[in-house]
Amino acid sequence: MTKSTYADFYRRSIEEPDAFWAEQAQLIDWQRPFDTVCDNSNPPFSRWFVGGTTNLCHNAVDRHVATRPDDNALICVSSETDEERVYSFRELHAEVQCMAAVLQSLGVQQGDRVLIYMPMIAQAAFAMLACARIGAVHSVVFGGFASGSLASRIDNAQPTVIVSADAGSRSGKVLPYKPLLDEAIRLAAHQPAAVLMVNRGLAEMGMQAGRDHSFEALRAIHIHTVVPCVWLDSTAISYTLYTSGTTGLPKGVQRDTGGYAVALAASMQHIFGVSPANAAGQTYFATSDIGWVVGHSYIVYGPLIAGMATIMYEGLPTRPDAGVWWTLVEKYQVSVMFSAPTAVRVLKKQDPKFLKAHDLSSLRALYLAGEPLDEPTASWISSALGKPIIDNYWQTETGWPILTIANGVEPKPSKFGSPGVPMYGYKVKLLDETTGQELAGANQKGVLVIDGPLPPGCMQTVWRDDARFAAAYWSSIPGQQVYNTFDWGIRDEDGYYYILGRTDDVINVAGHRLGTREIEESISGHSNVAEVAVVGVADSLKGQVAMAFVVAKDAAGLELPANALKLEGDIMKVVDTSLGAVARPSRVFFVNALPKTRSGKMLRRAIQAVCEQRDPGDLTTMEDPAALQQIKDLLKPV
Ligand code: PRX
């Protein structure tokens, strides 16, 4: 296709979307061609490439086996267990077919859900690709989540099979998964037909006869089994991935097959600069986890669809030393790297010699996403690496960047602090929070929304809850059907956007998206908690941390620091065991009352402002000013 400026490219995606996306669709293989590019006859439920059949696993694996069987495909590195294993496309093909056969032997059929609760090991990617191969719907749950979170996801996904492993490892500490999984299955109403356990030899698994199966034993039977790809409707569900929203109940973001494959293939070319012509010999290194959307799009599917090798890394950026990532860049000739600002802030505290000690000439750019990238962090890593730093803004819901710089179309300068400009296919607008009026001028803060239909690759709906999809995302602005990102944004004179945080109760801790309501519900599970408010507070390392303010049922003795500390510790333990340490608040403070409006609405934004030493704004509707004052006093440095 003819490429000109990004402005032309973008304009065409908006003005002639069918022609534009039909061209992009040529980046993947179709078994049967589609007859409709986008069916938006029932908004907000848009359907992409209707009538076409394809398969994500075919596009990620099989088509490359045909041309480049011995090229690197999946590179698994654990700095925790000191293991390193490279799978070629041919080997990956065999392992994925084997996993598909194993899943089928356990009863998994097309359309069934398979819940994947795993550390960053090769079998997790095999399981995802195997599901895609046979048309099963995978639902990966982040390994850092504990029994309560896992149980609610099991009940929502109703998996036929759960795939897990004996343990993960973090900072040299073995984290057994099986006890958490057993407890989650005990808590859940839905019971899976089978549990498939990968044994890394790290922890006891306590296999339950009849239900639990050894992956290694089944692999030995199925390692040579041929399992062809099932050709799926473009609109068939490929996966669900839970994410936090305003209520305590996580939403299952549901994704299609064809639209997702096209969106990823297009993003690999236009955003990450990897085209079918230059993919061979290139390696992508995303430091995220398969439990998050970045792991789905840019550890597993995106790079493989593009035909490049991808690194799956288990471990910290600082172990055995702060050079570990750069060792991998050098060793595997990484050309594209993707991480989160928090990781960069962690590296910034380390000796800069680790960055200088490696040949990073293969690296073209570092992409950062998941949370705001502050200017000092961007400048530091930019000069330390001497490479372009490309901020990109998106969400679990969209699956690929909404705002960034499409250097594969036309190189453009980045502006530190801004993720960039709207990507092709996204009709981004800023609206006034109260009136819903579009803010057409520059430098006005508004809610970032997107006009429908969303481009391919974005969520189809909330799993089993169309009403929630329509209500939560598309009806929040009175009188308009627009997709709400729930982020504040601002646009400068050059059309670059800046993201100013969430408009709802979602917080972002070290790039991990968490719902304050979920944490509040978990804390309420402690017998001495009458009421609780959790807010996200700015943190120089993690971006944000959660802070909890609790009204105790029995506050007697809490004025003694030792007692308060004990209760704080107990409450943190409740969060650890129900949600996981990832959601643990950094502090729990005990208060007499929580600030609320006269109608009983919790003033979370005011609490947050006070925690961040900002002006809490208009408090005329506040019922009890003393409550906010007490929080102010508690936070005063002593
Ligand atoms: O608030 C925005 C923030 O993270 C949210 C989405 O998180 P998640 O669903 O986990 O998806 C992450 C995909 C990269 C957004 O609503 N966010 C994400 N990227 C950025 C960001 N905030 C500022 N700048 C970014 N680049």
Side-chain angles (χ1 to χ4, degrees), residues 20-45:
F20 179 89
W21 287 110
E23 258 168 42
Q24 303 306 319
Q26 303 313 310
L27 290 167
I28 68 155
D29 281 359
W30 295 89
Q31 165 73 1
R32 190 175 69 213
F34 47 89
D35 34 55
T36 306
V37 176
C38 180
D39 169 10
N40 195 35
S41 56
N42 180 30
F45 303 94

PDB file of all heavy atoms in Angstrom, residues 20-45:
ATOM      1  N   PHE A  20      -9.430   0.817   4.419  1.00  0.00           N
ATOM      2  CA  PHE A  20      -8.219   0.825   5.241  1.00  0.00           C
ATOM      3  C   PHE A  20      -8.012  -0.530   5.924  1.00  0.00           C
ATOM      4  O   PHE A  20      -6.954  -1.150   5.820  1.00  0.00           O
ATOM      5  CB  PHE A  20      -8.317   1.943   6.296  1.00  0.00           C
ATOM      6  CG  PHE A  20      -7.136   2.011   7.215  1.00  0.00           C
ATOM      7  CD1 PHE A  20      -6.032   2.793   6.877  1.00  0.00           C
ATOM      8  CD2 PHE A  20      -7.099   1.292   8.402  1.00  0.00           C
ATOM      9  CE1 PHE A  20      -4.922   2.852   7.721  1.00  0.00           C
ATOM     10  CE2 PHE A  20      -5.998   1.340   9.245  1.00  0.00           C
ATOM     11  CZ  PHE A  20      -4.906   2.127   8.900  1.00  0.00           C
ATOM     12  N   TRP A  21      -9.067  -1.016   6.611  1.00  0.00           N
ATOM     13  CA  TRP A  21      -8.902  -2.249   7.384  1.00  0.00           C
ATOM     14  C   TRP A  21      -8.865  -3.483   6.491  1.00  0.00           C
ATOM     15  O   TRP A  21      -8.241  -4.491   6.840  1.00  0.00           O
ATOM     16  CB  TRP A  21      -9.962  -2.349   8.483  1.00  0.00           C
ATOM     17  CG  TRP A  21      -9.665  -1.387   9.605  1.00  0.00           C
ATOM     18  CD1 TRP A  21     -10.358  -0.256   9.935  1.00  0.00           C
ATOM     19  CD2 TRP A  21      -8.557  -1.453  10.522  1.00  0.00           C
ATOM     20  NE1 TRP A  21      -9.767   0.391  10.998  1.00  0.00           N
ATOM     21  CE2 TRP A  21      -8.658  -0.322  11.379  1.00  0.00           C
ATOM     22  CE3 TRP A  21      -7.492  -2.329  10.700  1.00  0.00           C
ATOM     23  CZ2 TRP A  21      -7.732  -0.077  12.400  1.00  0.00           C
ATOM     24  CZ3 TRP A  21      -6.570  -2.080  11.726  1.00  0.00           C
ATOM     25  CH2 TRP A  21      -6.699  -0.965  12.559  1.00  0.00           C
ATOM     26  N   ALA A  22      -9.509  -3.407   5.336  1.00  0.00           N
ATOM     27  CA  ALA A  22      -9.413  -4.547   4.405  1.00  0.00           C
ATOM     28  C   ALA A  22      -7.957  -4.713   3.971  1.00  0.00           C
ATOM     29  O   ALA A  22      -7.454  -5.831   3.832  1.00  0.00           O
ATOM     30  CB  ALA A  22     -10.318  -4.325   3.202  1.00  0.00           C
ATOM     31  N   GLU A  23      -7.261  -3.594   3.799  1.00  0.00           N
ATOM     32  CA  GLU A  23      -5.834  -3.674   3.455  1.00  0.00           C
ATOM     33  C   GLU A  23      -5.018  -4.258   4.605  1.00  0.00           C
ATOM     34  O   GLU A  23      -4.163  -5.116   4.407  1.00  0.00           O
ATOM     35  CB  GLU A  23      -5.298  -2.268   3.174  1.00  0.00           C
ATOM     36  CG  GLU A  23      -5.142  -1.973   1.716  1.00  0.00           C
ATOM     37  CD  GLU A  23      -4.895  -0.491   1.482  1.00  0.00           C
ATOM     38  OE1 GLU A  23      -4.115   0.123   2.249  1.00  0.00           O
ATOM     39  OE2 GLU A  23      -5.505   0.054   0.556  1.00  0.00           O
ATOM     40  N   GLN A  24      -5.290  -3.774   5.813  1.00  0.00           N
ATOM     41  CA  GLN A  24      -4.542  -4.287   6.976  1.00  0.00           C
ATOM     42  C   GLN A  24      -4.773  -5.792   7.139  1.00  0.00           C
ATOM     43  O   GLN A  24      -3.891  -6.524   7.569  1.00  0.00           O
ATOM     44  CB  GLN A  24      -4.961  -3.561   8.266  1.00  0.00           C
ATOM     45  CG  GLN A  24      -4.803  -2.054   8.235  1.00  0.00           C
ATOM     46  CD  GLN A  24      -3.401  -1.632   7.866  1.00  0.00           C
ATOM     47  OE1 GLN A  24      -2.425  -2.214   8.321  1.00  0.00           O
ATOM     48  NE2 GLN A  24      -3.292  -0.625   7.008  1.00  0.00           N
ATOM     49  N   ALA A  25      -5.985  -6.220   6.793  1.00  0.00           N
ATOM     50  CA  ALA A  25      -6.348  -7.634   6.977  1.00  0.00           C
ATOM     51  C   ALA A  25      -5.489  -8.553   6.112  1.00  0.00           C
ATOM     52  O   ALA A  25      -5.408  -9.759   6.377  1.00  0.00           O
ATOM     53  CB  ALA A  25      -7.824  -7.843   6.665  1.00  0.00           C
ATOM     54  N   GLN A  26      -4.826  -7.967   5.115  1.00  0.00           N
ATOM     55  CA  GLN A  26      -3.953  -8.796   4.267  1.00  0.00           C
ATOM     56  C   GLN A  26      -2.679  -9.212   5.009  1.00  0.00           C
ATOM     57  O   GLN A  26      -1.927 -10.057   4.526  1.00  0.00           O
ATOM     58  CB  GLN A  26      -3.567  -8.044   2.971  1.00  0.00           C
ATOM     59  CG  GLN A  26      -4.763  -7.596   2.136  1.00  0.00           C
ATOM     60  CD  GLN A  26      -5.784  -8.708   1.949  1.00  0.00           C
ATOM     61  OE1 GLN A  26      -5.429  -9.810   1.562  1.00  0.00           O
ATOM     62  NE2 GLN A  26      -7.052  -8.429   2.271  1.00  0.00           N
ATOM     63  N   LEU A  27      -2.437  -8.608   6.168  1.00  0.00           N
ATOM     64  CA  LEU A  27      -1.236  -8.963   6.935  1.00  0.00           C
ATOM     65  C   LEU A  27      -1.352 -10.337   7.592  1.00  0.00           C
ATOM     66  O   LEU A  27      -0.379 -10.861   8.127  1.00  0.00           O
ATOM     67  CB  LEU A  27      -0.958  -7.906   8.013  1.00  0.00           C
ATOM     68  CG  LEU A  27      -0.484  -6.544   7.505  1.00  0.00           C
ATOM     69  CD1 LEU A  27      -0.545  -5.498   8.617  1.00  0.00           C
ATOM     70  CD2 LEU A  27       0.946  -6.655   6.976  1.00  0.00           C
ATOM     71  N   ILE A  28      -2.572 -10.882   7.614  1.00  0.00           N
ATOM     72  CA  ILE A  28      -2.718 -12.224   8.209  1.00  0.00           C
ATOM     73  C   ILE A  28      -3.292 -13.189   7.166  1.00  0.00           C
ATOM     74  O   ILE A  28      -3.788 -12.770   6.118  1.00  0.00           O
ATOM     75  CB  ILE A  28      -3.606 -12.220   9.478  1.00  0.00           C
ATOM     76  CG1 ILE A  28      -5.076 -11.899   9.132  1.00  0.00           C
ATOM     77  CG2 ILE A  28      -3.085 -11.247  10.524  1.00  0.00           C
ATOM     78  CD1 ILE A  28      -6.055 -12.443  10.145  1.00  0.00           C
ATOM     79  N   ASP A  29      -3.214 -14.491   7.503  1.00  0.00           N
ATOM     80  CA  ASP A  29      -3.792 -15.518   6.621  1.00  0.00           C
ATOM     81  C   ASP A  29      -5.260 -15.735   6.988  1.00  0.00           C
ATOM     82  O   ASP A  29      -5.602 -15.827   8.174  1.00  0.00           O
ATOM     83  CB  ASP A  29      -3.078 -16.868   6.847  1.00  0.00           C
ATOM     84  CG  ASP A  29      -1.739 -16.936   6.147  1.00  0.00           C
ATOM     85  OD1 ASP A  29      -1.362 -15.952   5.476  1.00  0.00           O
ATOM     86  OD2 ASP A  29      -1.066 -17.983   6.290  1.00  0.00           O
ATOM     87  N   TRP A  30      -6.084 -15.834   5.970  1.00  0.00           N
ATOM     88  CA  TRP A  30      -7.503 -16.169   6.159  1.00  0.00           C
ATOM     89  C   TRP A  30      -7.764 -17.509   5.478  1.00  0.00           C
ATOM     90  O   TRP A  30      -7.263 -17.744   4.376  1.00  0.00           O
ATOM     91  CB  TRP A  30      -8.408 -15.107   5.529  1.00  0.00           C
ATOM     92  CG  TRP A  30      -8.288 -13.763   6.195  1.00  0.00           C
ATOM     93  CD1 TRP A  30      -7.415 -12.764   5.882  1.00  0.00           C
ATOM     94  CD2 TRP A  30      -9.058 -13.294   7.302  1.00  0.00           C
ATOM     95  NE1 TRP A  30      -7.594 -11.693   6.730  1.00  0.00           N
ATOM     96  CE2 TRP A  30      -8.609 -11.995   7.612  1.00  0.00           C
ATOM     97  CE3 TRP A  30     -10.084 -13.847   8.079  1.00  0.00           C
ATOM     98  CZ2 TRP A  30      -9.139 -11.236   8.654  1.00  0.00           C
ATOM     99  CZ3 TRP A  30     -10.623 -13.088   9.109  1.00  0.00           C
ATOM    100  CH2 TRP A  30     -10.150 -11.800   9.398  1.00  0.00           C
ATOM    101  N   GLN A  31      -8.552 -18.352   6.097  1.00  0.00           N
ATOM    102  CA  GLN A  31      -8.952 -19.592   5.432  1.00  0.00           C
ATOM    103  C   GLN A  31     -10.082 -19.285   4.455  1.00  0.00           C
ATOM    104  O   GLN A  31     -10.049 -19.676   3.309  1.00  0.00           O
ATOM    105  CB  GLN A  31      -9.391 -20.622   6.493  1.00  0.00           C
ATOM    106  CG  GLN A  31     -10.160 -21.804   5.959  1.00  0.00           C
ATOM    107  CD  GLN A  31      -9.259 -22.774   5.208  1.00  0.00           C
ATOM    108  OE1 GLN A  31      -8.044 -22.556   5.102  1.00  0.00           O
ATOM    109  NE2 GLN A  31      -9.831 -23.824   4.664  1.00  0.00           N
ATOM    110  N   ARG A  32     -11.080 -18.531   4.927  1.00  0.00           N
ATOM    111  CA  ARG A  32     -12.156 -18.063   4.046  1.00  0.00           C
ATOM    112  C   ARG A  32     -12.159 -16.548   4.149  1.00  0.00           C
ATOM    113  O   ARG A  32     -12.109 -16.009   5.257  1.00  0.00           O
ATOM    114  CB  ARG A  32     -13.494 -18.633   4.536  1.00  0.00           C
ATOM    115  CG  ARG A  32     -14.642 -18.403   3.552  1.00  0.00           C
ATOM    116  CD  ARG A  32     -15.925 -19.082   4.026  1.00  0.00           C
ATOM    117  NE  ARG A  32     -16.457 -18.429   5.210  1.00  0.00           N
ATOM    118  CZ  ARG A  32     -17.110 -19.068   6.187  1.00  0.00           C
ATOM    119  NH1 ARG A  32     -17.292 -20.370   6.140  1.00  0.00           N
ATOM    120  NH2 ARG A  32     -17.567 -18.402   7.233  1.00  0.00           N
ATOM    121  N   PRO A  33     -12.201 -15.845   3.028  1.00  0.00           N
ATOM    122  CA  PRO A  33     -12.176 -14.384   3.119  1.00  0.00           C
ATOM    123  C   PRO A  33     -13.458 -13.829   3.752  1.00  0.00           C
ATOM    124  O   PRO A  33     -14.513 -14.451   3.657  1.00  0.00           O
ATOM    125  CB  PRO A  33     -12.050 -13.927   1.662  1.00  0.00           C
ATOM    126  CG  PRO A  33     -12.244 -15.125   0.811  1.00  0.00           C
ATOM    127  CD  PRO A  33     -12.272 -16.344   1.657  1.00  0.00           C
ATOM    128  N   PHE A  34     -13.335 -12.693   4.383  1.00  0.00           N
ATOM    129  CA  PHE A  34     -14.525 -12.053   4.997  1.00  0.00           C
ATOM    130  C   PHE A  34     -15.333 -11.365   3.908  1.00  0.00           C
ATOM    131  O   PHE A  34     -14.805 -11.009   2.851  1.00  0.00           O
ATOM    132  CB  PHE A  34     -14.085 -11.049   6.068  1.00  0.00           C
ATOM    133  CG  PHE A  34     -12.984 -10.124   5.639  1.00  0.00           C
ATOM    134  CD1 PHE A  34     -13.265  -8.919   5.015  1.00  0.00           C
ATOM    135  CD2 PHE A  34     -11.637 -10.471   5.822  1.00  0.00           C
ATOM    136  CE1 PHE A  34     -12.253  -8.067   4.603  1.00  0.00           C
ATOM    137  CE2 PHE A  34     -10.609  -9.627   5.405  1.00  0.00           C
ATOM    138  CZ  PHE A  34     -10.918  -8.426   4.797  1.00  0.00           C
ATOM    139  N   ASP A  35     -16.644 -11.184   4.171  1.00  0.00           N
ATOM    140  CA  ASP A  35     -17.414 -10.425   3.195  1.00  0.00           C
ATOM    141  C   ASP A  35     -17.817  -9.041   3.706  1.00  0.00           C
ATOM    142  O   ASP A  35     -18.182  -8.182   2.919  1.00  0.00           O
ATOM    143  CB  ASP A  35     -18.614 -11.216   2.653  1.00  0.00           C
ATOM    144  CG  ASP A  35     -19.233 -12.116   3.683  1.00  0.00           C
ATOM    145  OD1 ASP A  35     -19.592 -11.604   4.761  1.00  0.00           O
ATOM    146  OD2 ASP A  35     -19.313 -13.323   3.431  1.00  0.00           O
ATOM    147  N   THR A  36     -17.759  -8.829   5.010  1.00  0.00           N
ATOM    148  CA  THR A  36     -18.063  -7.500   5.550  1.00  0.00           C
ATOM    149  C   THR A  36     -16.891  -7.078   6.431  1.00  0.00           C
ATOM    150  O   THR A  36     -16.491  -7.844   7.317  1.00  0.00           O
ATOM    151  CB  THR A  36     -19.339  -7.558   6.415  1.00  0.00           C
ATOM    152  OG1 THR A  36     -20.378  -8.125   5.624  1.00  0.00           O
ATOM    153  CG2 THR A  36     -19.756  -6.188   6.913  1.00  0.00           C
ATOM    154  N   VAL A  37     -16.349  -5.896   6.199  1.00  0.00           N
ATOM    155  CA  VAL A  37     -15.210  -5.472   7.016  1.00  0.00           C
ATOM    156  C   VAL A  37     -15.678  -5.178   8.440  1.00  0.00           C
ATOM    157  O   VAL A  37     -15.155  -5.719   9.403  1.00  0.00           O
ATOM    158  CB  VAL A  37     -14.505  -4.242   6.398  1.00  0.00           C
ATOM    159  CG1 VAL A  37     -13.387  -3.747   7.314  1.00  0.00           C
ATOM    160  CG2 VAL A  37     -13.937  -4.588   5.034  1.00  0.00           C
ATOM    161  N   CYS A  38     -16.685  -4.312   8.563  1.00  0.00           N
ATOM    162  CA  CYS A  38     -17.182  -3.999   9.910  1.00  0.00           C
ATOM    163  C   CYS A  38     -18.706  -3.954   9.895  1.00  0.00           C
ATOM    164  O   CYS A  38     -19.293  -3.193   9.133  1.00  0.00           O
ATOM    165  CB  CYS A  38     -16.628  -2.653  10.376  1.00  0.00           C
ATOM    166  SG  CYS A  38     -17.211  -2.195  12.027  1.00  0.00           S
ATOM    167  N   ASP A  39     -19.311  -4.777  10.713  1.00  0.00           N
ATOM    168  CA  ASP A  39     -20.758  -4.731  10.876  1.00  0.00           C
ATOM    169  C   ASP A  39     -21.040  -3.985  12.175  1.00  0.00           C
ATOM    170  O   ASP A  39     -20.804  -4.503  13.262  1.00  0.00           O
ATOM    171  CB  ASP A  39     -21.308  -6.166  10.935  1.00  0.00           C
ATOM    172  CG  ASP A  39     -22.774  -6.182  11.372  1.00  0.00           C
ATOM    173  OD1 ASP A  39     -23.402  -5.100  11.441  1.00  0.00           O
ATOM    174  OD2 ASP A  39     -23.286  -7.291  11.652  1.00  0.00           O
ATOM    175  N   ASN A  40     -21.510  -2.755  12.027  1.00  0.00           N
ATOM    176  CA  ASN A  40     -21.823  -1.963  13.228  1.00  0.00           C
ATOM    177  C   ASN A  40     -23.323  -1.676  13.278  1.00  0.00           C
ATOM    178  O   ASN A  40     -23.745  -0.616  13.708  1.00  0.00           O
ATOM    179  CB  ASN A  40     -21.007  -0.653  13.202  1.00  0.00           C
ATOM    180  CG  ASN A  40     -20.992   0.023  14.558  1.00  0.00           C
ATOM    181  OD1 ASN A  40     -20.968  -0.642  15.597  1.00  0.00           O
ATOM    182  ND2 ASN A  40     -21.046   1.351  14.571  1.00  0.00           N
ATOM    183  N   SER A  41     -24.102  -2.662  12.836  1.00  0.00           N
ATOM    184  CA  SER A  41     -25.553  -2.443  12.770  1.00  0.00           C
ATOM    185  C   SER A  41     -26.206  -2.477  14.146  1.00  0.00           C
ATOM    186  O   SER A  41     -27.351  -2.068  14.301  1.00  0.00           O
ATOM    187  CB  SER A  41     -26.190  -3.492  11.854  1.00  0.00           C
ATOM    188  OG  SER A  41     -25.844  -4.783  12.319  1.00  0.00           O
ATOM    189  N   ASN A  42     -25.490  -2.962  15.140  1.00  0.00           N
ATOM    190  CA  ASN A  42     -26.062  -3.047  16.488  1.00  0.00           C
ATOM    191  C   ASN A  42     -25.086  -2.456  17.506  1.00  0.00           C
ATOM    192  O   ASN A  42     -24.549  -3.158  18.350  1.00  0.00           O
ATOM    193  CB  ASN A  42     -26.354  -4.539  16.799  1.00  0.00           C
ATOM    194  CG  ASN A  42     -26.944  -4.724  18.171  1.00  0.00           C
ATOM    195  OD1 ASN A  42     -27.632  -3.840  18.690  1.00  0.00           O
ATOM    196  ND2 ASN A  42     -26.669  -5.875  18.789  1.00  0.00           N
ATOM    197  N   PRO A  43     -24.832  -1.130  17.403  1.00  0.00           N
ATOM    198  CA  PRO A  43     -23.827  -0.552  18.292  1.00  0.00           C
ATOM    199  C   PRO A  43     -24.260  -0.664  19.756  1.00  0.00           C
ATOM    200  O   PRO A  43     -25.452  -0.662  20.020  1.00  0.00           O
ATOM    201  CB  PRO A  43     -23.769   0.917  17.834  1.00  0.00           C
ATOM    202  CG  PRO A  43     -25.063   1.176  17.136  1.00  0.00           C
ATOM    203  CD  PRO A  43     -25.491  -0.137  16.557  1.00  0.00           C
ATOM    204  N   PRO A  44     -23.340  -0.771  20.699  1.00  0.00           N
ATOM    205  CA  PRO A  44     -21.887  -0.711  20.542  1.00  0.00           C
ATOM    206  C   PRO A  44     -21.235  -2.058  20.232  1.00  0.00           C
ATOM    207  O   PRO A  44     -20.027  -2.195  20.424  1.00  0.00           O
ATOM    208  CB  PRO A  44     -21.442  -0.207  21.918  1.00  0.00           C
ATOM    209  CG  PRO A  44     -22.410  -0.827  22.872  1.00  0.00           C
ATOM    210  CD  PRO A  44     -23.726  -0.874  22.141  1.00  0.00           C
ATOM    211  N   PHE A  45     -22.029  -3.021  19.760  1.00  0.00           N
ATOM    212  CA  PHE A  45     -21.457  -4.347  19.513  1.00  0.00           C
ATOM    213  C   PHE A  45     -21.002  -4.441  18.063  1.00  0.00           C
ATOM    214  O   PHE A  45     -21.764  -4.854  17.197  1.00  0.00           O
ATOM    215  CB  PHE A  45     -22.487  -5.439  19.832  1.00  0.00           C
ATOM    216  CG  PHE A  45     -22.996  -5.349  21.247  1.00  0.00           C
ATOM    217  CD1 PHE A  45     -24.166  -4.655  21.546  1.00  0.00           C
ATOM    218  CD2 PHE A  45     -22.277  -5.922  22.282  1.00  0.00           C
ATOM    219  CE1 PHE A  45     -24.611  -4.542  22.853  1.00  0.00           C
ATOM    220  CE2 PHE A  45     -22.717  -5.814  23.594  1.00  0.00           C
ATOM    221  CZ  PHE A  45     -23.893  -5.115  23.881  1.00  0.00           C
TER     222      PHE A  45
END
